[in-house]
Amino acid sequence: MFVKEVTVENQVGLHARPATFFIQKANEYKSSIWVEKEERRVNAKSLLGVLSLGIVGGTTIRIIADGVDEQAAVDGLVKLVNSGFAE
């Protein structure tokens, strides 16, 4: 299992378009991946799950992966979040 914390800096947070990019990226990996906000954990490959967290700009989340490419998965998703979802 590999875990990293990252702060979502873009203004709209993880809603609609950025969430779609996040899920598409998560689905590139074989590992099981979760996003955690406070005490809630959801499947990072589920649009409804990610949207249900209500992640807004300035929120710190944890990205957790478990599987053959867990470190690459977490690093790739952290990089995407840090890029501001290319907006």
Side-chain angles (χ1 to χ4, degrees), residues 64-87:
I64 304 154
D66 190 21
V68 294
D69 54 359
E70 60 191 30
Q71 186 167 352
V74 171
D75 289 342
L77 289 167
V78 166
K79 184 177 178 184
L80 178 65
V81 171
N82 285 335
S83 77
F85 302 92
E87 290 189 328

Tab-separated table of all heavy atoms in Angstrom, residues 64-87:
chain	number	residue	atom	x	y	z
A	64	ILE	N	-4.594	6.832	-1.961
A	64	ILE	CA	-4.122	5.545	-1.461
A	64	ILE	C	-4.243	4.526	-2.587
A	64	ILE	O	-5.294	4.439	-3.244
A	64	ILE	CB	-4.993	5.094	-0.271
A	64	ILE	CG1	-4.995	6.166	0.815
A	64	ILE	CG2	-4.533	3.746	0.270
A	64	ILE	CD1	-6.207	6.151	1.685
A	65	ALA	N	-3.192	3.761	-2.811
A	65	ALA	CA	-3.242	2.719	-3.839
A	65	ALA	C	-2.650	1.429	-3.294
A	65	ALA	O	-1.743	1.448	-2.459
A	65	ALA	CB	-2.479	3.160	-5.088
A	66	ASP	N	-3.175	0.318	-3.778
A	66	ASP	CA	-2.688	-0.989	-3.376
A	66	ASP	C	-2.704	-1.883	-4.604
A	66	ASP	O	-3.754	-2.103	-5.200
A	66	ASP	CB	-3.597	-1.559	-2.274
A	66	ASP	CG	-3.020	-2.808	-1.639
A	66	ASP	OD1	-1.801	-3.028	-1.729
A	66	ASP	OD2	-3.807	-3.579	-1.036
A	67	GLY	N	-1.531	-2.361	-5.003
A	67	GLY	CA	-1.453	-3.231	-6.167
A	67	GLY	C	-0.090	-3.151	-6.823
A	67	GLY	O	0.846	-2.560	-6.280
A	68	VAL	N	0.009	-3.726	-8.011
A	68	VAL	CA	1.302	-3.866	-8.684
A	68	VAL	C	1.936	-2.538	-9.078
A	68	VAL	O	3.158	-2.418	-9.127
A	68	VAL	CB	1.196	-4.783	-9.933
A	68	VAL	CG1	0.860	-6.203	-9.526
A	68	VAL	CG2	0.169	-4.259	-10.919
A	69	ASP	N	1.121	-1.524	-9.374
A	69	ASP	CA	1.656	-0.226	-9.804
A	69	ASP	C	1.240	0.890	-8.833
A	69	ASP	O	1.049	2.027	-9.225
A	69	ASP	CB	1.207	0.100	-11.230
A	69	ASP	CG	-0.309	0.040	-11.420
A	69	ASP	OD1	-1.028	-0.282	-10.448
A	69	ASP	OD2	-0.766	0.299	-12.541
A	70	GLU	N	1.142	0.541	-7.535
A	70	GLU	CA	0.619	1.479	-6.540
A	70	GLU	C	1.392	2.777	-6.444
A	70	GLU	O	0.802	3.848	-6.375
A	70	GLU	CB	0.531	0.802	-5.156
A	70	GLU	CG	1.842	0.302	-4.626
A	70	GLU	CD	1.708	-0.601	-3.402
A	70	GLU	OE1	0.688	-1.299	-3.254
A	70	GLU	OE2	2.648	-0.599	-2.595
A	71	GLN	N	2.725	2.710	-6.455
A	71	GLN	CA	3.499	3.953	-6.332
A	71	GLN	C	3.330	4.830	-7.569
A	71	GLN	O	3.141	6.033	-7.463
A	71	GLN	CB	4.978	3.671	-6.074
A	71	GLN	CG	5.747	4.957	-5.812
A	71	GLN	CD	7.143	4.732	-5.245
A	71	GLN	OE1	7.512	3.618	-4.904
A	71	GLN	NE2	7.898	5.796	-5.137
A	72	ALA	N	3.362	4.226	-8.741
A	72	ALA	CA	3.166	4.988	-9.983
A	72	ALA	C	1.767	5.610	-10.013
A	72	ALA	O	1.603	6.751	-10.451
A	72	ALA	CB	3.366	4.075	-11.191
A	73	ALA	N	0.770	4.883	-9.525
A	73	ALA	CA	-0.603	5.385	-9.510
A	73	ALA	C	-0.717	6.614	-8.613
A	73	ALA	O	-1.250	7.648	-9.024
A	73	ALA	CB	-1.557	4.291	-9.036
A	74	VAL	N	-0.212	6.511	-7.391
A	74	VAL	CA	-0.293	7.638	-6.456
A	74	VAL	C	0.503	8.823	-6.985
A	74	VAL	O	0.012	9.953	-7.004
A	74	VAL	CB	0.189	7.228	-5.045
A	74	VAL	CG1	0.309	8.444	-4.134
A	74	VAL	CG2	-0.771	6.205	-4.436
A	75	ASP	N	1.728	8.573	-7.455
A	75	ASP	CA	2.552	9.666	-7.977
A	75	ASP	C	1.899	10.342	-9.176
A	75	ASP	O	1.917	11.569	-9.297
A	75	ASP	CB	3.950	9.152	-8.350
A	75	ASP	CG	4.790	8.808	-7.132
A	75	ASP	OD1	4.460	9.262	-6.008
A	75	ASP	OD2	5.789	8.073	-7.295
A	76	GLY	N	1.299	9.569	-10.074
A	76	GLY	CA	0.631	10.129	-11.248
A	76	GLY	C	-0.566	10.990	-10.880
A	76	GLY	O	-0.769	12.063	-11.443
A	77	LEU	N	-1.344	10.539	-9.899
A	77	LEU	CA	-2.523	11.305	-9.480
A	77	LEU	C	-2.130	12.549	-8.691
A	77	LEU	O	-2.752	13.604	-8.858
A	77	LEU	CB	-3.470	10.413	-8.676
A	77	LEU	CG	-4.181	9.352	-9.529
A	77	LEU	CD1	-4.860	8.314	-8.647
A	77	LEU	CD2	-5.176	9.981	-10.478
A	78	VAL	N	-1.091	12.453	-7.869
A	78	VAL	CA	-0.603	13.634	-7.146
A	78	VAL	C	-0.107	14.679	-8.147
A	78	VAL	O	-0.396	15.871	-8.016
A	78	VAL	CB	0.502	13.252	-6.135
A	78	VAL	CG1	1.240	14.482	-5.628
A	78	VAL	CG2	-0.098	12.475	-4.966
A	79	LYS	N	0.605	14.222	-9.163
A	79	LYS	CA	1.111	15.139	-10.197
A	79	LYS	C	-0.049	15.838	-10.914
A	79	LYS	O	0.006	17.045	-11.173
A	79	LYS	CB	1.976	14.356	-11.188
A	79	LYS	CG	2.622	15.209	-12.242
A	79	LYS	CD	3.520	14.384	-13.147
A	79	LYS	CE	4.129	15.233	-14.232
A	79	LYS	NZ	4.934	14.449	-15.173
A	80	LEU	N	-1.115	15.082	-11.208
A	80	LEU	CA	-2.285	15.656	-11.862
A	80	LEU	C	-2.945	16.718	-10.968
A	80	LEU	O	-3.264	17.816	-11.422
A	80	LEU	CB	-3.302	14.557	-12.193
A	80	LEU	CG	-4.603	15.023	-12.832
A	80	LEU	CD1	-4.357	15.635	-14.208
A	80	LEU	CD2	-5.589	13.879	-12.918
A	81	VAL	N	-3.111	16.415	-9.688
A	81	VAL	CA	-3.711	17.374	-8.757
A	81	VAL	C	-2.843	18.621	-8.650
A	81	VAL	O	-3.341	19.754	-8.708
A	81	VAL	CB	-3.926	16.738	-7.359
A	81	VAL	CG1	-4.338	17.785	-6.343
A	81	VAL	CG2	-4.962	15.623	-7.433
A	82	ASN	N	-1.522	18.426	-8.544
A	82	ASN	CA	-0.604	19.572	-8.425
A	82	ASN	C	-0.563	20.428	-9.683
A	82	ASN	O	-0.251	21.616	-9.611
A	82	ASN	CB	0.805	19.095	-8.070
A	82	ASN	CG	0.913	18.673	-6.614
A	82	ASN	OD1	0.156	19.127	-5.759
A	82	ASN	ND2	1.855	17.799	-6.326
A	83	SER	N	-0.907	19.854	-10.822
A	83	SER	CA	-0.919	20.609	-12.086
A	83	SER	C	-2.153	21.512	-12.192
A	83	SER	O	-2.259	22.310	-13.123
A	83	SER	CB	-0.898	19.651	-13.277
A	83	SER	OG	-2.187	19.079	-13.489
A	84	GLY	N	-3.075	21.380	-11.232
A	84	GLY	CA	-4.322	22.152	-11.315
A	84	GLY	C	-5.243	21.597	-12.390
A	84	GLY	O	-6.097	22.304	-12.896
A	85	PHE	N	-5.041	20.330	-12.757
A	85	PHE	CA	-5.840	19.663	-13.771
A	85	PHE	C	-5.724	20.369	-15.116
A	85	PHE	O	-6.679	20.430	-15.880
A	85	PHE	CB	-7.310	19.532	-13.333
A	85	PHE	CG	-7.443	18.778	-12.052
A	85	PHE	CD1	-7.451	19.453	-10.830
A	85	PHE	CD2	-7.509	17.407	-12.038
A	85	PHE	CE1	-7.546	18.769	-9.640
A	85	PHE	CE2	-7.597	16.703	-10.847
A	85	PHE	CZ	-7.625	17.384	-9.662
A	86	ALA	N	-4.552	20.954	-15.350
A	86	ALA	CA	-4.236	21.616	-16.632
A	86	ALA	C	-5.246	22.696	-16.974
A	86	ALA	O	-5.584	22.898	-18.121
A	86	ALA	CB	-4.118	20.587	-17.742
A	87	GLU	N	-5.761	23.389	-15.953
A	87	GLU	CA	-6.717	24.477	-16.197
A	87	GLU	C	-6.034	25.814	-16.099
A	87	GLU	O	-5.155	26.024	-15.304
A	87	GLU	CB	-7.859	24.418	-15.190
A	87	GLU	CG	-8.746	23.224	-15.431
A	87	GLU	CD	-10.024	23.262	-14.584
A	87	GLU	OE1	-9.992	23.779	-13.467
A	87	GLU	OE2	-11.014	22.755	-15.080
